[in-house]
Amino acid sequence: AQSVTQLDSQVPVFEEAPVELRCNYSSSVSVYLFWYVQYPNQGLQLLLKYLSGSTLVKGINGFEAEFNKSQTSFHLRKPSVHISDTAEYFCAVSDRRGSGNTGKLIFGQGTTLQVKP
Amino acid sequence: GAVVSQHPSRVICKSGTSVKIECRSLDFQATTMFWYRQFPKQSLMLMATSNEGSKATYEQGVEKDKFLINHASLTLSTLTVTSAHPEDSSFYICSAREGYLQYFGPGTRLTVT
């Protein structure tokens, strides 16, 4: 079974400052890793994903994340945030086994990013 | 990118009635769709996995007779909340799977009065 822990429930930050949203996961099998963003009363939008290859992945809106297998982490970063980045961010994992892969996503608890002017 | 729609976006119903929510993949075929429930300020909770042409797989603790799921085609899954009660009020989100990825619908806000 997998689990995901987002270490910060809320992250306040000033506009144009850098930000890191932390995510740790636990799994007995190899996983795919995802970050999603949710704006109020909307569905989820994929920010970025790690499937294989380079451990540093770049996503939309200037976000990037680094997969660290030894620390079982997948922290999300942005060097300079904007007011419009204010939203809820979810880290998620999915089992990457072949025929046994249902594609189910396990989500973390979410982190509210509050960008202040 | 792939687009998933949900209908309705908001619905208010009276206690004891049933409500149907539709989830459609607009530009791709999805053999697997998922239904989630989200309470305010909380994460998404997977309710069930919907597979085209077969019965849905429900997560532990989810009443399958209350939350009826039908995946009649490769682009449509429906969730019917039967005999709704105020505690069923929530934000319901569907997703459709394409390969390794899930694409999410915009959600349906259900309010039961």
Side-chain angles (χ1 to χ4, degrees):
Chain A
Q2 294 101 37
S3 66
V4 179
T5 302
Q6 290 182 241
L7 298 162
D8 306 293
S9 59
Q10 292 189 347
V11 174
V13 64
F14 287 105
E15 194 174 16
E16 298 184 5
V19 71
E20 177 180 83
L21 306 183
R22 296 180 293 168
C23 172
N24 286 91
Y25 70 93
S26 173
S27 177
S28 57
V29 299
S30 296
V31 296
Y32 298 126
L33 295 155
F34 307 86
W35 274 99
Y36 287 89
V37 60
Q38 185 180 33
Y39 298 101
N41 296 310
Q42 294 186 28
L44 273 66
Q45 180 182 7
L46 180 67
L47 274 178
L48 47 77
K49 60 187 182 291
Y50 173 77
L51 303 180
S52 65
S54 173
T55 57
L56 181 64
V57 293
K58 295 186 183 298
I60 62 171
N61 301 340
F63 284 94
E64 63 180 33
E66 185 157 19
F67 169 55
N68 187 317
K69 187 174 182 180
S70 62
Q71 297 187 7
T72 59
S73 68
F74 191 54
H75 300 335
L76 180 71
R77 302 185 184 99
K78 186 169 182 177
S80 176
V81 294
H82 192 267
I83 294 286
S84 60
D85 293 322
T86 296
E88 191 78 13
Y89 291 80
F90 292 97
C91 180
V93 300
S94 175
D95 186 337
R96 68 184 298 164
R97 287 176 299 177
S99 60
N101 182 7
T102 62
K104 286 167 54 172
L105 284 171
I106 306 300
F107 285 91
Q109 302 90 328
T111 297
T112 303
L113 176 62
Q114 302 164 322
V115 181
K116 304 176 180 179
Chain B
V3 179
V4 176
S5 69
Q6 273 184 251
H7 178 79
S9 57
R10 289 178 178 271
V11 58
I12 300 172
C13 70
K14 295 193 174 186
S15 187
T17 62
S18 295
V19 174
K20 180 185 284 189
I21 303 169
E22 293 186 348
C23 177
R24 294 182 185 272
S25 56
L26 298 185
D27 49 3
F28 66 102
Q29 293 183 330
T31 55
T32 303
M33 292 185 175
F34 301 89
W35 286 96
Y36 298 85
R37 184 173 181 178
Q38 186 179 33
F39 290 105
K41 305 293 184 184
Q42 294 190 26
S43 188
L44 281 72
M45 181 193 79
L46 178 65
M47 299 175 65
T49 303
S50 170
N51 296 298
E52 187 267 337
S54 64
K55 290 183 178 180
T57 303
Y58 290 82
E59 295 298 302
Q60 192 172 9
V62 177
E63 299 176 61
K64 60 182 180 182
D65 294 330
K66 180 167 188 62
F67 299 100
L68 300 179
I69 291 171
N70 186 284
H71 195 153
S73 78
L74 289 172
T75 59
L76 174 64
S77 176
T78 60
L79 168 68
T80 301
V81 183
T82 63
S83 186
H85 291 284
E87 56 265 31
D88 298 324
S89 297
S90 191
F91 193 53
Y92 292 87
I93 304 176
C94 74
S95 70
R97 181 185 177 189
E98 185 180 47
Y100 304 117
L101 299 179
Q102 286 188 33
Y103 296 95
F104 287 80
T108 296
R109 174 77 57 194
L110 170 63
T111 303
V112 184
T113 61

